[in-house]
Amino acid sequence: MADHSHDDSHGHPENPIKYYIGVFVLLMVMTVLTVYVAQFDLEKIWGPLNALVALSIAVIKATAVIMIFMHVRWSSRLTQVIVVASVFWLLIMLSFTLSDYFTRGGWPTGLGAY
Amino acid sequence: MEQQKEAGMVGMWLFLLTEVMFFGGLFLAYTIYRTIYPQGFLYGSHLLNVQLGGTNTVVLIVSSLTMAMAVYYSQKGETKKLIGFLTATLLLGLAFLVIKYFEYASKIHDNLFPAVGFYNPVTPEMDPTSHHAIPANLQQPVRVFLWIYFMMTGLHALHMIVGAGILITLILMARKGKFTKNYNSPVEISGLYWHFVDIVWIFLFPLLYLTGFHFGKH
């Protein structure tokens, strides 16, 4: 970060189309991969493994779209802060609510049975 | 001029932040109910059509590429190519909605729309050959999954319809020659919106369609 004292993150590259095609190929490959992996019952190995693999692939895809298609890689520092903040607020909402659910003991009866 | 453009982009990102929280609440509900009813979600997800959902995923990825190209040519001031890529994006968005319509129609036809008066799935005992039969003890948990499915994909589809309206407006504006090398903010801001809607689907597809894809392959 410190060596970015002058604002060289700003402005678009000369030819962004090669980046766009790269992201497109990545998204297609990742889509095929997530469908392929989902055929296997990884839950036999570890309960949340199917969901974990699927979400990891989705996060990689979303990051590529945000950084390249949505130009965040070349955006102003202010925009980048807003993007990071939105992920941060989302994680607060998810983690605080879920930690409440998981620790309060208020689940309906028969949890996990259906 | 540059400062005005920057202000517009930042404003759009703040709007998208509220959209992240909006869809985030739905993903939160998904997580909580999936924890309560893992079997219901596995079974319900298995009822969805992975071929159609996967096709729509590809359609949206291609539309995101064409939208990025539209933004690029708006920056270059090449109006003809801008209109071409905006039209391609619009057509892909409409293709997504048509496929979604057939998916919904098939669910309603199979009595799987979870509303009162619509939800009346068959059990394996009633019809052993049916591909959409649900065991009696799973009918209520699967109904919860189907509510979440229709709610999340429905709100996503609503965003797609709004996006299609925005694209039509952009095409009309571009045809009137409103966009130049120095003024293309509406195209860039709409591009952010379109990509955001794509990102929502990137998470919806595995969580809704693929969760039960391995079901029955134990």
Side-chain angles (χ1 to χ4, degrees):
Chain A
M1 282 286 168
D3 55 323
H4 273 257
S5 48
H6 52 279
D7 197 14
D8 58 358
S9 68
H10 203 76
H12 297 266
E14 274 301 303
N15 182 15
I17 291 177
K18 63 177 186 213
Y19 291 96
Y20 297 161
I21 301 290
V23 169
F24 172 74
V25 171
L26 176 80
L27 292 176
M28 295 297 269
V29 169
M30 286 293 181
T31 301
V32 172
L33 184 69
T34 193
V35 173
Y36 177 77
V37 173
Q39 296 177 55
F40 301 104
D41 185 7
L42 304 176
E43 289 169 12
K44 272 189 297 197
I45 303 168
W46 185 45
L49 193 54
N50 270 109
L52 197 69
V53 171
L55 278 177
S56 304
I57 293 173
V59 167
I60 293 169
K61 289 169 77 178
T63 307
V65 172
I66 291 168
M67 294 305 278
I68 307 299
F69 280 170
M70 297 171 94
H71 301 156
V72 168
R73 196 184 143 172
W74 304 291
S75 292
S76 66
R77 201 51 47 87
L78 178 60
T79 304
Q80 291 172 345
V81 168
I82 294 172
V83 175
V84 173
S86 69
V87 175
F88 185 65
W89 293 129
L90 178 67
L91 290 178
I92 287 179
M93 177 167 72
L94 294 176
S95 60
F96 281 31
T97 313
L98 289 175
S99 69
D100 188 43
Y101 263 93
F102 286 131
T103 54
R104 205 182 275 242
W107 294 104
T109 51
L111 167 64
Y114 298 103
Chain B
M1 210 46 193
E2 189 59 33
Q3 197 175 0
Q4 286 176 8
K5 187 170 172 175
E6 174 67 14
M9 297 298 274
V10 167
M12 189 61 194
W13 274 106
L14 286 173
F15 168 70
L16 291 182
L17 191 151
T18 69
E19 289 272 82
V20 167
M21 298 310 276
F22 172 71
F23 278 102
L26 292 165
F27 281 106
L28 183 57
Y30 170 95
T31 310
I32 290 166
Y33 280 107
R34 184 171 167 177
T35 313
I36 301 175
Y37 304 120
Q39 288 299 313
F41 270 58
L42 204 61
Y43 212 98
S45 169
H46 194 63
L47 296 170
L48 301 181
N49 190 324
V50 174
Q51 279 79 29
L52 291 182
T55 306
N56 260 349
T57 305
V58 172
V59 166
L60 274 194
I61 290 172
V62 179
S63 84
S64 254
L65 177 67
T66 56
M67 189 72 216
M69 297 300 284
V71 171
Y72 172 73
Y73 284 114
S74 79
Q75 288 163 348
K76 292 272 160 206
E78 295 188 35
T79 304
K80 255 196 186 138
K81 285 180 178 170
L82 167 63
I83 293 172
F85 277 109
L86 286 175
T87 309
T89 311
L90 174 65
L91 292 176
L92 289 161
L94 294 177
F96 177 95
L97 288 170
V98 168
I99 291 173
K100 202 81 219 130
Y101 165 78
F102 281 114
E103 276 192 84
Y104 281 167
S106 133
K107 289 289 162 285
I108 292 166
H109 176 261
D110 294 342
N111 293 320
L112 290 175
F113 186 66
V116 173
F118 288 89
Y119 191 67
N120 190 22
V122 294
T123 61
E125 292 78 29
M126 287 157 69
D127 183 2
T129 59
S130 171
H131 293 293
H132 52 85
I134 305 169
N137 67 329
L138 283 179
Q139 293 211 345
Q140 284 311 312
V142 169
R143 190 176 189 170
V144 172
F145 171 82
L146 287 169
W147 263 127
I148 286 175
Y149 163 74
F150 273 99
M151 202 54 165
M152 294 184 89
T153 57
L155 284 168
H156 178 267
L158 188 66
H159 278 77
M160 293 290 296
I161 292 168
V162 170
I166 291 171
L167 282 167
I168 291 169
T169 312
L170 287 180
I171 292 167
L172 293 176
M173 286 170 80
R175 283 167 66 103
K176 283 185 194 156
K178 298 247 183 196
F179 301 126
T180 62
K181 228 172 171 173
N182 298 319
Y183 178 70
N184 64 343
S185 288
V187 182
E188 290 204 23
I189 284 170
S190 307
L192 292 180
Y193 175 83
W194 193 263
H195 295 309
F196 171 80
V197 177
D198 183 30
I199 290 173
V200 173
W201 186 259
I202 284 175
F203 285 95
L204 285 180
F205 175 60
L207 290 178
L208 294 174
Y209 290 79
L210 297 180
T211 294
F213 197 37
H214 64 274
F215 195 66
K217 294 191 177 187
H218 295 267

